[in-house]
Amino acid sequence: MDRTLVIAKPDAVARGLAGEIISRLERKGLRLAAAELRTIDRETAARHYAEHEGKPFFEDLLAFITRAPALFLVVEGPKDTWKVVRTLMGATNPAEAAPGTIRGDLGIEMTENLVHGSDGPESAAREIGIFFPSLAS
């Protein structure tokens, strides 16, 4: 089984959309291997978003992801699960996301785009290690 990390971000949880996000993943044929609702601390958020350090939006990103609970998921599927998840999520900017995708159907703003998914097998392994160390490979 291939695994990837998905986060229903604080805006999704606040809007009551975590169940919808899980439902879309499961209807696609993916399986939840782990799930936890938690508010992450700044240090963990900075590790997760390390590739964005030094960019103008970095501090806002940390403030957003740490402001309230988010639902962290490890999702399993066949080969390239991360690609399947990224396709289901849609483009980062909800205004450009295709209808039928999570962001295209439910998102409104670029800064509150509901969901995160690992962008490759290496980032999936790294991110799972941060949030679910017992599942790290």
Side-chain angles (χ1 to χ4, degrees):
M1 275 290 161
D2 192 39
R3 290 181 171 164
T4 195
L5 184 84
V6 176
I7 304 172
K9 295 179 182 180
D11 57 324
V13 172
R15 289 179 55 200
L17 296 174
E20 173 71 20
I21 291 167
I22 290 171
S23 178
R24 288 178 183 230
L25 295 168
E26 290 180 328
R27 283 196 314 258
K28 187 68 175 178
L30 302 175
R31 187 180 83 77
L32 297 183
E36 185 178 340
L37 183 68
R38 64 173 112 157
T39 303
I40 63 171
D41 58 57
R42 182 180 167 78
E43 179 183 329
T44 304
R47 281 180 56 213
H48 174 64
Y49 287 120
E51 70 271 14
H52 299 302
E53 191 169 357
K55 294 179 181 171
F57 59 85
F58 184 68
E59 290 301 322
D60 289 340
L61 188 58
L62 295 185
F64 166 63
I65 201 69
T66 61
R67 77 177 186 203
L71 183 63
F72 294 81
L73 310 166
V74 176
V75 179
E76 290 182 337
K79 186 179 177 203
D80 294 331
T81 300
W82 69 272
K83 283 185 185 178
V84 174
V85 169
R86 300 283 294 187
T87 300
L88 286 171
M89 288 170 30
T92 302
N93 184 344
E96 298 170 0
T101 65
I102 293 167
R103 291 174 176 151
D105 290 350
L106 307 171
I108 298 169
E109 298 179 56
M110 173 87 158
T111 56
E112 306 230 349
N113 63 13
L114 304 173
V115 65
H116 164 86
S118 302
D119 63 4
E122 296 82 14
S123 64
R126 182 181 71 80
E127 293 172 351
I128 290 168
I130 292 170
F131 297 107
F132 295 93
S134 66
L135 296 178
S137 44

